PDB file of all heavy atoms in Angstrom:
ATOM      1  N   ASP B   1       0.843  -1.198   0.000  1.00 98.00           N
ATOM      2  CA  ASP B   1       0.000   0.000   0.000  1.00 98.00           C
ATOM      3  C   ASP B   1       0.874   1.242   0.000  1.00 98.00           C
ATOM      4  O   ASP B   1       2.064   1.189   0.366  1.00 98.00           O
ATOM      5  CB  ASP B   1      -0.919   0.020   1.227  1.00 98.00           C
ATOM      6  CG  ASP B   1      -2.087   1.002   1.071  1.00 98.00           C
ATOM      7  OD1 ASP B   1      -2.289   1.523  -0.049  1.00 98.00           O
ATOM      8  OD2 ASP B   1      -2.789   1.245   2.066  1.00 98.00           O
ATOM      9  N   LEU B   2       0.297   2.340  -0.421  1.00 98.00           N
ATOM     10  CA  LEU B   2       0.922   3.665  -0.380  1.00 98.00           C
ATOM     11  C   LEU B   2      -0.072   4.602   0.288  1.00 98.00           C
ATOM     12  O   LEU B   2      -1.202   4.776  -0.193  1.00 98.00           O
ATOM     13  CB  LEU B   2       1.247   4.151  -1.794  1.00 98.00           C
ATOM     14  CG  LEU B   2       1.599   5.625  -1.980  1.00 98.00           C
ATOM     15  CD1 LEU B   2       2.803   6.015  -1.132  1.00 98.00           C
ATOM     16  CD2 LEU B   2       1.867   5.931  -3.449  1.00 98.00           C
ATOM     17  N   VAL B   3       0.336   5.183   1.396  1.00 98.00           N
ATOM     18  CA  VAL B   3      -0.532   6.081   2.155  1.00 98.00           C
ATOM     19  C   VAL B   3      -0.110   7.516   1.867  1.00 98.00           C
ATOM     20  O   VAL B   3       1.010   7.926   2.196  1.00 98.00           O
ATOM     21  CB  VAL B   3      -0.447   5.787   3.672  1.00 98.00           C
ATOM     22  CG1 VAL B   3      -1.329   6.765   4.439  1.00 98.00           C
ATOM     23  CG2 VAL B   3      -0.844   4.342   3.961  1.00 98.00           C
ATOM     24  N   LEU B   4      -1.008   8.273   1.239  1.00 97.00           N
ATOM     25  CA  LEU B   4      -0.747   9.681   0.919  1.00 97.00           C
ATOM     26  C   LEU B   4      -1.284  10.551   2.043  1.00 97.00           C
ATOM     27  O   LEU B   4      -2.436  10.409   2.455  1.00 97.00           O
ATOM     28  CB  LEU B   4      -1.412  10.060  -0.405  1.00 97.00           C
ATOM     29  CG  LEU B   4      -0.939   9.301  -1.646  1.00 97.00           C
ATOM     30  CD1 LEU B   4      -1.744   9.728  -2.863  1.00 97.00           C
ATOM     31  CD2 LEU B   4       0.547   9.537  -1.892  1.00 97.00           C
ATOM     32  N   LEU B   5      -0.435  11.460   2.515  1.00 96.00           N
ATOM     33  CA  LEU B   5      -0.786  12.312   3.650  1.00 96.00           C
ATOM     34  C   LEU B   5      -0.724  13.777   3.240  1.00 96.00           C
ATOM     35  O   LEU B   5       0.287  14.235   2.694  1.00 96.00           O
ATOM     36  CB  LEU B   5       0.187  12.059   4.799  1.00 96.00           C
ATOM     37  CG  LEU B   5       0.256  10.601   5.291  1.00 96.00           C
ATOM     38  CD1 LEU B   5       1.569  10.330   6.003  1.00 96.00           C
ATOM     39  CD2 LEU B   5      -0.924  10.305   6.208  1.00 96.00           C
ATOM     40  N   ASP B   6      -1.811  14.521   3.490  1.00 93.00           N
ATOM     41  CA  ASP B   6      -1.791  15.961   3.195  1.00 93.00           C
ATOM     42  C   ASP B   6      -0.704  16.644   4.012  1.00 93.00           C
ATOM     43  O   ASP B   6       0.024  17.494   3.515  1.00 93.00           O
ATOM     44  CB  ASP B   6      -3.151  16.594   3.499  1.00 93.00           C
ATOM     45  CG  ASP B   6      -4.212  16.189   2.488  1.00 93.00           C
ATOM     46  OD1 ASP B   6      -3.841  15.759   1.373  1.00 93.00           O
ATOM     47  OD2 ASP B   6      -5.399  16.280   2.821  1.00 93.00           O
ATOM     48  N   THR B   7      -0.628  16.292   5.266  1.00 92.00           N
ATOM     49  CA  THR B   7       0.414  16.800   6.162  1.00 92.00           C
ATOM     50  C   THR B   7       0.568  15.808   7.301  1.00 92.00           C
ATOM     51  O   THR B   7      -0.354  15.047   7.614  1.00 92.00           O
ATOM     52  CB  THR B   7       0.062  18.198   6.703  1.00 92.00           C
ATOM     53  OG1 THR B   7       1.165  18.706   7.467  1.00 92.00           O
ATOM     54  CG2 THR B   7      -1.174  18.154   7.581  1.00 92.00           C
ATOM     55  N   THR B   8       1.730  15.794   7.918  1.00 93.00           N
ATOM     56  CA  THR B   8       1.997  14.889   9.033  1.00 93.00           C
ATOM     57  C   THR B   8       3.161  15.442   9.835  1.00 93.00           C
ATOM     58  O   THR B   8       4.020  16.138   9.282  1.00 93.00           O
ATOM     59  CB  THR B   8       2.338  13.469   8.533  1.00 93.00           C
ATOM     60  OG1 THR B   8       2.621  12.626   9.654  1.00 93.00           O
ATOM     61  CG2 THR B   8       3.561  13.480   7.631  1.00 93.00           C
ATOM     62  N   PRO B   9       3.212  15.164  11.124  1.00 92.00           N
ATOM     63  CA  PRO B   9       4.409  15.545  11.866  1.00 92.00           C
ATOM     64  C   PRO B   9       5.659  14.913  11.262  1.00 92.00           C
ATOM     65  O   PRO B   9       6.695  15.555  11.112  1.00 92.00           O
ATOM     66  CB  PRO B   9       4.131  15.025  13.279  1.00 92.00           C
ATOM     67  CG  PRO B   9       2.638  15.016  13.384  1.00 92.00           C
ATOM     68  CD  PRO B   9       2.168  14.622  12.020  1.00 92.00           C
ATOM     69  N   SER B  10       5.568  13.616  10.900  1.00 93.00           N
ATOM     70  CA  SER B  10       6.732  12.907  10.368  1.00 93.00           C
ATOM     71  C   SER B  10       6.278  11.612   9.702  1.00 93.00           C
ATOM     72  O   SER B  10       5.591  10.803  10.327  1.00 93.00           O
ATOM     73  CB  SER B  10       7.725  12.594  11.490  1.00 93.00           C
ATOM     74  OG  SER B  10       8.688  11.658  11.069  1.00 93.00           O
ATOM     75  N   THR B  11       6.688  11.391   8.453  1.00 95.00           N
ATOM     76  CA  THR B  11       6.384  10.113   7.810  1.00 95.00           C
ATOM     77  C   THR B  11       7.104   8.976   8.519  1.00 95.00           C
ATOM     78  O   THR B  11       6.633   7.827   8.509  1.00 95.00           O
ATOM     79  CB  THR B  11       6.792  10.116   6.329  1.00 95.00           C
ATOM     80  OG1 THR B  11       8.199  10.402   6.198  1.00 95.00           O
ATOM     81  CG2 THR B  11       5.990  11.142   5.543  1.00 95.00           C
ATOM     82  N   GLN B  12       8.234   9.270   9.155  1.00 94.00           N
ATOM     83  CA  GLN B  12       8.966   8.242   9.884  1.00 94.00           C
ATOM     84  C   GLN B  12       8.123   7.709  11.040  1.00 94.00           C
ATOM     85  O   GLN B  12       8.065   6.501  11.278  1.00 94.00           O
ATOM     86  CB  GLN B  12      10.298   8.813  10.386  1.00 94.00           C
ATOM     87  CG  GLN B  12      11.356   7.775  10.677  1.00 94.00           C
ATOM     88  CD  GLN B  12      12.005   7.169   9.454  1.00 94.00           C
ATOM     89  OE1 GLN B  12      11.594   7.407   8.315  1.00 94.00           O
ATOM     90  NE2 GLN B  12      13.037   6.370   9.670  1.00 94.00           N
ATOM     91  N   LEU B  13       7.454   8.618  11.741  1.00 93.00           N
ATOM     92  CA  LEU B  13       6.573   8.199  12.831  1.00 93.00           C
ATOM     93  C   LEU B  13       5.359   7.445  12.301  1.00 93.00           C
ATOM     94  O   LEU B  13       4.904   6.477  12.926  1.00 93.00           O
ATOM     95  CB  LEU B  13       6.133   9.419  13.637  1.00 93.00           C
ATOM     96  CG  LEU B  13       7.234  10.155  14.406  1.00 93.00           C
ATOM     97  CD1 LEU B  13       6.669  11.393  15.088  1.00 93.00           C
ATOM     98  CD2 LEU B  13       7.905   9.230  15.427  1.00 93.00           C
ATOM     99  N   GLU B  14       4.830   7.889  11.160  1.00 95.00           N
ATOM    100  CA  GLU B  14       3.699   7.182  10.555  1.00 95.00           C
ATOM    101  C   GLU B  14       4.085   5.737  10.229  1.00 95.00           C
ATOM    102  O   GLU B  14       3.331   4.793  10.511  1.00 95.00           O
ATOM    103  CB  GLU B  14       3.259   7.892   9.267  1.00 95.00           C
ATOM    104  CG  GLU B  14       2.786   9.317   9.440  1.00 95.00           C
ATOM    105  CD  GLU B  14       1.346   9.431   9.910  1.00 95.00           C
ATOM    106  OE1 GLU B  14       0.685   8.382  10.078  1.00 95.00           O
ATOM    107  OE2 GLU B  14       0.885  10.566  10.117  1.00 95.00           O
ATOM    108  N   ALA B  15       5.276   5.570   9.642  1.00 95.00           N
ATOM    109  CA  ALA B  15       5.714   4.236   9.242  1.00 95.00           C
ATOM    110  C   ALA B  15       6.013   3.352  10.449  1.00 95.00           C
ATOM    111  O   ALA B  15       5.754   2.143  10.431  1.00 95.00           O
ATOM    112  CB  ALA B  15       6.947   4.334   8.342  1.00 95.00           C
ATOM    113  N   ARG B  16       6.542   3.954  11.512  1.00 93.00           N
ATOM    114  CA  ARG B  16       6.848   3.176  12.722  1.00 93.00           C
ATOM    115  C   ARG B  16       5.584   2.547  13.298  1.00 93.00           C
ATOM    116  O   ARG B  16       5.623   1.439  13.851  1.00 93.00           O
ATOM    117  CB  ARG B  16       7.511   4.062  13.773  1.00 93.00           C
ATOM    118  CG  ARG B  16       8.959   4.394  13.479  1.00 93.00           C
ATOM    119  CD  ARG B  16       9.541   5.272  14.573  1.00 93.00           C
ATOM    120  NE  ARG B  16       9.634   4.579  15.848  1.00 93.00           N
ATOM    121  CZ  ARG B  16      10.677   3.829  16.225  1.00 93.00           C
ATOM    122  NH1 ARG B  16      11.705   3.686  15.429  1.00 93.00           N
ATOM    123  NH2 ARG B  16      10.681   3.242  17.401  1.00 93.00           N
ATOM    124  N   GLY B  17       4.480   3.243  13.192  1.00 91.00           N
ATOM    125  CA  GLY B  17       3.227   2.708  13.714  1.00 91.00           C
ATOM    126  C   GLY B  17       2.365   2.065  12.650  1.00 91.00           C
ATOM    127  O   GLY B  17       1.206   1.732  12.911  1.00 91.00           O
ATOM    128  N   GLY B  18       2.933   1.888  11.457  1.00 94.00           N
ATOM    129  CA  GLY B  18       2.149   1.392  10.340  1.00 94.00           C
ATOM    130  C   GLY B  18       2.397  -0.066   9.999  1.00 94.00           C
ATOM    131  O   GLY B  18       2.945  -0.828  10.786  1.00 94.00           O
ATOM    132  N   LEU B  19       1.994  -0.421   8.778  1.00 93.00           N
ATOM    133  CA  LEU B  19       2.045  -1.796   8.315  1.00 93.00           C
ATOM    134  C   LEU B  19       3.297  -2.047   7.485  1.00 93.00           C
ATOM    135  O   LEU B  19       3.842  -1.145   6.852  1.00 93.00           O
ATOM    136  CB  LEU B  19       0.799  -2.103   7.478  1.00 93.00           C
ATOM    137  CG  LEU B  19      -0.546  -1.946   8.201  1.00 93.00           C
ATOM    138  CD1 LEU B  19      -1.692  -2.152   7.221  1.00 93.00           C
ATOM    139  CD2 LEU B  19      -0.642  -2.908   9.369  1.00 93.00           C
ATOM    140  N   ALA B  20       3.735  -3.299   7.475  1.00 94.00           N
ATOM    141  CA  ALA B  20       4.908  -3.680   6.699  1.00 94.00           C
ATOM    142  C   ALA B  20       4.645  -3.542   5.203  1.00 94.00           C
ATOM    143  O   ALA B  20       3.500  -3.649   4.739  1.00 94.00           O
ATOM    144  CB  ALA B  20       5.310  -5.117   7.034  1.00 94.00           C
ATOM    145  N   ASN B  21       5.712  -3.272   4.451  1.00 96.00           N
ATOM    146  CA  ASN B  21       5.653  -3.118   2.993  1.00 96.00           C
ATOM    147  C   ASN B  21       4.667  -2.027   2.582  1.00 96.00           C
ATOM    148  O   ASN B  21       3.947  -2.160   1.586  1.00 96.00           O
ATOM    149  CB  ASN B  21       5.290  -4.449   2.319  1.00 96.00           C
ATOM    150  CG  ASN B  21       6.352  -5.502   2.557  1.00 96.00           C
ATOM    151  OD1 ASN B  21       7.549  -5.220   2.507  1.00 96.00           O
ATOM    152  ND2 ASN B  21       5.925  -6.714   2.836  1.00 96.00           N
ATOM    153  N   THR B  22       4.657  -0.959   3.385  1.00 97.00           N
ATOM    154  CA  THR B  22       3.785   0.182   3.117  1.00 97.00           C
ATOM    155  C   THR B  22       4.630   1.447   3.093  1.00 97.00           C
ATOM    156  O   THR B  22       5.513   1.630   3.935  1.00 97.00           O
ATOM    157  CB  THR B  22       2.684   0.302   4.189  1.00 97.00           C
ATOM    158  OG1 THR B  22       1.894  -0.885   4.171  1.00 97.00           O
ATOM    159  CG2 THR B  22       1.794   1.506   3.932  1.00 97.00           C
ATOM    160  N   LEU B  23       4.371   2.313   2.112  1.00 98.00           N
ATOM    161  CA  LEU B  23       5.077   3.580   1.964  1.00 98.00           C
ATOM    162  C   LEU B  23       4.169   4.721   2.399  1.00 98.00           C
ATOM    163  O   LEU B  23       3.008   4.793   1.983  1.00 98.00           O
ATOM    164  CB  LEU B  23       5.504   3.774   0.503  1.00 98.00           C
ATOM    165  CG  LEU B  23       6.252   5.064   0.161  1.00 98.00           C
ATOM    166  CD1 LEU B  23       7.603   5.113   0.878  1.00 98.00           C
ATOM    167  CD2 LEU B  23       6.454   5.189  -1.354  1.00 98.00           C
ATOM    168  N   TYR B  24       4.710   5.621   3.228  1.00 98.00           N
ATOM    169  CA  TYR B  24       3.982   6.799   3.703  1.00 98.00           C
ATOM    170  C   TYR B  24       4.626   8.022   3.064  1.00 98.00           C
ATOM    171  O   TYR B  24       5.841   8.209   3.144  1.00 98.00           O
ATOM    172  CB  TYR B  24       4.040   6.859   5.231  1.00 98.00           C
ATOM    173  CG  TYR B  24       3.345   5.668   5.863  1.00 98.00           C
ATOM    174  CD1 TYR B  24       4.009   4.442   5.996  1.00 98.00           C
ATOM    175  CD2 TYR B  24       2.029   5.751   6.281  1.00 98.00           C
ATOM    176  CE1 TYR B  24       3.362   3.339   6.538  1.00 98.00           C
ATOM    177  CE2 TYR B  24       1.384   4.650   6.832  1.00 98.00           C
ATOM    178  CZ  TYR B  24       2.053   3.439   6.955  1.00 98.00           C
ATOM    179  OH  TYR B  24       1.411   2.353   7.484  1.00 98.00           O
ATOM    180  N   LEU B  25       3.801   8.867   2.442  1.00 97.00           N
ATOM    181  CA  LEU B  25       4.320   9.913   1.557  1.00 97.00           C
ATOM    182  C   LEU B  25       3.574  11.229   1.758  1.00 97.00           C
ATOM    183  O   LEU B  25       2.351  11.253   1.850  1.00 97.00           O
ATOM    184  CB  LEU B  25       4.172   9.443   0.104  1.00 97.00           C
ATOM    185  CG  LEU B  25       4.484  10.412  -1.027  1.00 97.00           C
ATOM    186  CD1 LEU B  25       5.953  10.831  -1.011  1.00 97.00           C
ATOM    187  CD2 LEU B  25       4.129   9.759  -2.363  1.00 97.00           C
ATOM    188  N   THR B  26       4.327  12.329   1.799  1.00 96.00           N
ATOM    189  CA  THR B  26       3.734  13.659   1.901  1.00 96.00           C
ATOM    190  C   THR B  26       4.672  14.681   1.294  1.00 96.00           C
ATOM    191  O   THR B  26       5.833  14.380   0.992  1.00 96.00           O
ATOM    192  CB  THR B  26       3.443  14.019   3.374  1.00 96.00           C
ATOM    193  OG1 THR B  26       2.660  15.218   3.444  1.00 96.00           O
ATOM    194  CG2 THR B  26       4.739  14.245   4.149  1.00 96.00           C
ATOM    195  N   ASP B  27       4.170  15.900   1.116  1.00 94.00           N
ATOM    196  CA  ASP B  27       5.041  17.009   0.728  1.00 94.00           C
ATOM    197  C   ASP B  27       5.108  18.057   1.830  1.00 94.00           C
ATOM    198  O   ASP B  27       5.662  19.130   1.655  1.00 94.00           O
ATOM    199  CB  ASP B  27       4.581  17.650  -0.583  1.00 94.00           C
ATOM    200  CG  ASP B  27       3.217  18.325  -0.481  1.00 94.00           C
ATOM    201  OD1 ASP B  27       2.525  18.168   0.559  1.00 94.00           O
ATOM    202  OD2 ASP B  27       2.827  19.010  -1.448  1.00 94.00           O
ATOM    203  N   HIS B  28       4.554  17.704   3.022  1.00 91.00           N
ATOM    204  CA  HIS B  28       4.540  18.678   4.121  1.00 91.00           C
ATOM    205  C   HIS B  28       4.654  17.981   5.465  1.00 91.00           C
ATOM    206  O   HIS B  28       3.766  17.210   5.852  1.00 91.00           O
ATOM    207  CB  HIS B  28       3.255  19.512   4.080  1.00 91.00           C
ATOM    208  CG  HIS B  28       3.253  20.631   5.073  1.00 91.00           C
ATOM    209  ND1 HIS B  28       2.209  20.854   5.940  1.00 91.00           N
ATOM    210  CD2 HIS B  28       4.180  21.582   5.351  1.00 91.00           C
ATOM    211  CE1 HIS B  28       2.489  21.898   6.701  1.00 91.00           C
ATOM    212  NE2 HIS B  28       3.679  22.346   6.368  1.00 91.00           N
ATOM    213  N   GLN B  29       5.760  18.217   6.166  1.00 89.00           N
ATOM    214  CA  GLN B  29       5.980  17.681   7.499  1.00 89.00           C
ATOM    215  C   GLN B  29       6.153  18.822   8.493  1.00 89.00           C
ATOM    216  O   GLN B  29       6.680  19.870   8.143  1.00 89.00           O
ATOM    217  CB  GLN B  29       7.234  16.793   7.541  1.00 89.00           C
ATOM    218  CG  GLN B  29       7.130  15.520   6.741  1.00 89.00           C
ATOM    219  CD  GLN B  29       8.277  14.568   7.048  1.00 89.00           C
ATOM    220  OE1 GLN B  29       8.057  13.454   7.497  1.00 89.00           O
ATOM    221  NE2 GLN B  29       9.503  14.992   6.794  1.00 89.00           N
ATOM    222  N   THR B  30       5.741  18.572   9.730  1.00 84.00           N
ATOM    223  CA  THR B  30       5.800  19.634  10.737  1.00 84.00           C
ATOM    224  C   THR B  30       6.733  19.323  11.904  1.00 84.00           C
ATOM    225  O   THR B  30       7.019  20.205  12.708  1.00 84.00           O
ATOM    226  CB  THR B  30       4.388  19.908  11.300  1.00 84.00           C
ATOM    227  OG1 THR B  30       3.872  18.694  11.878  1.00 84.00           O
ATOM    228  CG2 THR B  30       3.452  20.378  10.187  1.00 84.00           C
ATOM    229  N   ALA B  31       7.179  18.062  12.022  1.00 69.00           N
ATOM    230  CA  ALA B  31       8.056  17.689  13.148  1.00 69.00           C
ATOM    231  C   ALA B  31       9.122  16.718  12.654  1.00 69.00           C
ATOM    232  O   ALA B  31       9.199  15.572  13.083  1.00 69.00           O
ATOM    233  CB  ALA B  31       7.248  17.077  14.288  1.00 69.00           C
ATOM    234  N   THR B  32       9.940  17.198  11.746  1.00 57.00           N
ATOM    235  CA  THR B  32      10.942  16.351  11.114  1.00 57.00           C
ATOM    236  C   THR B  32      12.051  15.966  12.087  1.00 57.00           C
ATOM    237  O   THR B  32      12.344  16.680  13.041  1.00 57.00           O
ATOM    238  CB  THR B  32      11.584  17.077   9.931  1.00 57.00           C
ATOM    239  OG1 THR B  32      12.239  18.263  10.416  1.00 57.00           O
ATOM    240  CG2 THR B  32      10.546  17.484   8.912  1.00 57.00           C
ATOM    241  N   TYR B  33      12.663  14.823  11.813  1.00 53.00           N
ATOM    242  CA  TYR B  33      13.888  14.475  12.529  1.00 53.00           C
ATOM    243  C   TYR B  33      14.724  13.546  11.666  1.00 53.00           C
ATOM    244  O   TYR B  33      14.204  12.772  10.863  1.00 53.00           O
ATOM    245  CB  TYR B  33      13.599  13.825  13.888  1.00 53.00           C
ATOM    246  CG  TYR B  33      13.043  12.419  13.833  1.00 53.00           C
ATOM    247  CD1 TYR B  33      13.884  11.304  13.889  1.00 53.00           C
ATOM    248  CD2 TYR B  33      11.676  12.196  13.754  1.00 53.00           C
ATOM    249  CE1 TYR B  33      13.382  10.020  13.853  1.00 53.00           C
ATOM    250  CE2 TYR B  33      11.161  10.912  13.728  1.00 53.00           C
ATOM    251  CZ  TYR B  33      12.014   9.828  13.780  1.00 53.00           C
ATOM    252  OH  TYR B  33      11.507   8.557  13.737  1.00 53.00           O
ATOM    253  N   GLY B  34      16.058  13.670  11.820  1.00 51.00           N
ATOM    254  CA  GLY B  34      16.986  12.838  11.079  1.00 51.00           C
ATOM    255  C   GLY B  34      17.899  12.089  12.023  1.00 51.00           C
ATOM    256  O   GLY B  34      17.506  11.732  13.138  1.00 51.00           O
ATOM    257  N   ARG B  35      19.138  11.863  11.587  1.00 52.00           N
ATOM    258  CA  ARG B  35      20.091  11.153  12.440  1.00 52.00           C
ATOM    259  C   ARG B  35      20.316  11.901  13.743  1.00 52.00           C
ATOM    260  O   ARG B  35      20.323  13.130  13.780  1.00 52.00           O
ATOM    261  CB  ARG B  35      21.432  10.996  11.713  1.00 52.00           C
ATOM    262  CG  ARG B  35      21.460   9.857  10.724  1.00 52.00           C
ATOM    263  CD  ARG B  35      22.889   9.405  10.452  1.00 52.00           C
ATOM    264  NE  ARG B  35      23.787  10.498  10.159  1.00 52.00           N
ATOM    265  CZ  ARG B  35      25.092  10.478  10.408  1.00 52.00           C
ATOM    266  NH1 ARG B  35      25.649   9.444  10.989  1.00 52.00           N
ATOM    267  NH2 ARG B  35      25.851  11.508  10.076  1.00 52.00           N
ATOM    268  N   PHE B  36      20.487  11.138  14.822  1.00 44.00           N
ATOM    269  CA  PHE B  36      20.716  11.669  16.166  1.00 44.00           C
ATOM    270  C   PHE B  36      19.539  12.519  16.651  1.00 44.00           C
ATOM    271  O   PHE B  36      19.686  13.332  17.552  1.00 44.00           O
ATOM    272  CB  PHE B  36      22.017  12.482  16.226  1.00 44.00           C
ATOM    273  CG  PHE B  36      23.196  11.778  15.622  1.00 44.00           C
ATOM    274  CD1 PHE B  36      23.838  12.303  14.514  1.00 44.00           C
ATOM    275  CD2 PHE B  36      23.660  10.581  16.150  1.00 44.00           C
ATOM    276  CE1 PHE B  36      24.922  11.654  13.942  1.00 44.00           C
ATOM    277  CE2 PHE B  36      24.742   9.921  15.581  1.00 44.00           C
ATOM    278  CZ  PHE B  36      25.378  10.451  14.480  1.00 44.00           C
ATOM    279  N   GLY B  37      18.348  12.349  15.998  1.00 48.00           N
ATOM    280  CA  GLY B  37      17.170  13.085  16.399  1.00 48.00           C
ATOM    281  C   GLY B  37      17.165  14.546  15.996  1.00 48.00           C
ATOM    282  O   GLY B  37      16.321  15.327  16.446  1.00 48.00           O
ATOM    283  N   ARG B  38      18.094  14.946  15.125  1.00 55.00           N
ATOM    284  CA  ARG B  38      18.184  16.345  14.740  1.00 55.00           C
ATOM    285  C   ARG B  38      17.032  16.744  13.821  1.00 55.00           C
ATOM    286  O   ARG B  38      16.697  16.028  12.884  1.00 55.00           O
ATOM    287  CB  ARG B  38      19.512  16.611  14.019  1.00 55.00           C
ATOM    288  CG  ARG B  38      20.750  16.378  14.855  1.00 55.00           C
ATOM    289  CD  ARG B  38      21.968  16.913  14.106  1.00 55.00           C
ATOM    290  NE  ARG B  38      23.198  16.541  14.769  1.00 55.00           N
ATOM    291  CZ  ARG B  38      24.087  15.691  14.278  1.00 55.00           C
ATOM    292  NH1 ARG B  38      23.866  15.107  13.116  1.00 55.00           N
ATOM    293  NH2 ARG B  38      25.199  15.421  14.939  1.00 55.00           N
ATOM    294  N   LYS B  39      16.462  17.906  14.078  1.00 53.00           N
ATOM    295  CA  LYS B  39      15.439  18.447  13.195  1.00 53.00           C
ATOM    296  C   LYS B  39      16.074  18.937  11.908  1.00 53.00           C
ATOM    297  O   LYS B  39      17.199  19.440  11.907  1.00 53.00           O
ATOM    298  CB  LYS B  39      14.709  19.616  13.883  1.00 53.00           C
ATOM    299  CG  LYS B  39      13.546  20.165  13.081  1.00 53.00           C
ATOM    300  CD  LYS B  39      12.800  21.242  13.856  1.00 53.00           C
ATOM    301  CE  LYS B  39      11.627  21.774  13.037  1.00 53.00           C
ATOM    302  NZ  LYS B  39      10.853  22.806  13.781  1.00 53.00           N
ATOM    303  N   TYR B  40      15.381  18.737  10.770  1.00 58.00           N
ATOM    304  CA  TYR B  40      15.894  19.262   9.512  1.00 58.00           C
ATOM    305  C   TYR B  40      14.824  20.101   8.825  1.00 58.00           C
ATOM    306  O   TYR B  40      13.637  19.997   9.130  1.00 58.00           O
ATOM    307  CB  TYR B  40      16.387  18.134   8.602  1.00 58.00           C
ATOM    308  CG  TYR B  40      15.316  17.182   8.094  1.00 58.00           C
ATOM    309  CD1 TYR B  40      14.575  17.458   6.955  1.00 58.00           C
ATOM    310  CD2 TYR B  40      15.054  15.982   8.764  1.00 58.00           C
ATOM    311  CE1 TYR B  40      13.606  16.590   6.495  1.00 58.00           C
ATOM    312  CE2 TYR B  40      14.079  15.111   8.307  1.00 58.00           C
ATOM    313  CZ  TYR B  40      13.365  15.416   7.166  1.00 58.00           C
ATOM    314  OH  TYR B  40      12.394  14.566   6.718  1.00 58.00           O
ATOM    315  N   TYR B  41      15.265  20.932   7.889  1.00 66.00           N
ATOM    316  CA  TYR B  41      14.360  21.865   7.218  1.00 66.00           C
ATOM    317  C   TYR B  41      13.470  21.124   6.228  1.00 66.00           C
ATOM    318  O   TYR B  41      13.952  20.368   5.380  1.00 66.00           O
ATOM    319  CB  TYR B  41      15.167  22.934   6.483  1.00 66.00           C
ATOM    320  CG  TYR B  41      14.312  23.877   5.667  1.00 66.00           C
ATOM    321  CD1 TYR B  41      13.480  24.806   6.293  1.00 66.00           C
ATOM    322  CD2 TYR B  41      14.329  23.844   4.277  1.00 66.00           C
ATOM    323  CE1 TYR B  41      12.693  25.664   5.556  1.00 66.00           C
ATOM    324  CE2 TYR B  41      13.560  24.704   3.525  1.00 66.00           C
ATOM    325  CZ  TYR B  41      12.733  25.609   4.172  1.00 66.00           C
ATOM    326  OH  TYR B  41      11.955  26.466   3.432  1.00 66.00           O
ATOM    327  N   ALA B  42      12.172  21.337   6.335  1.00 71.00           N
ATOM    328  CA  ALA B  42      11.200  20.794   5.393  1.00 71.00           C
ATOM    329  C   ALA B  42      10.359  21.951   4.870  1.00 71.00           C
ATOM    330  O   ALA B  42       9.637  22.599   5.632  1.00 71.00           O
ATOM    331  CB  ALA B  42      10.314  19.745   6.059  1.00 71.00           C
TER     332      ALA B  42
END
């Protein structure tokens, strides 16, 4: 499946609580994080 999101805090968080072999996709995030938990510009 592919889950399209109008906006989300983080697709990473969506996927962590989601189903296997599923892609979560958006063009707008509000609470991004990368390596070491660092926020990045979205």
Side-chain angles (χ1 to χ4, degrees):
D1 197 10
L2 166 58
V3 178
L4 298 177
L5 302 158
D6 288 340
T7 186
T8 179
S10 166
T11 58
Q12 202 75 353
L13 294 176
E14 299 279 358
R16 285 180 66 87
L19 300 175
N21 297 319
T22 299
L23 180 65
Y24 297 82
L25 173 63
T26 190
D27 65 351
H28 187 230
Q29 293 192 120
T30 59
T32 61
Y33 71 93
R35 280 202 311 152
F36 311 117
R38 297 190 188 112
K39 185 176 180 178
Y40 66 86
Y41 175 70

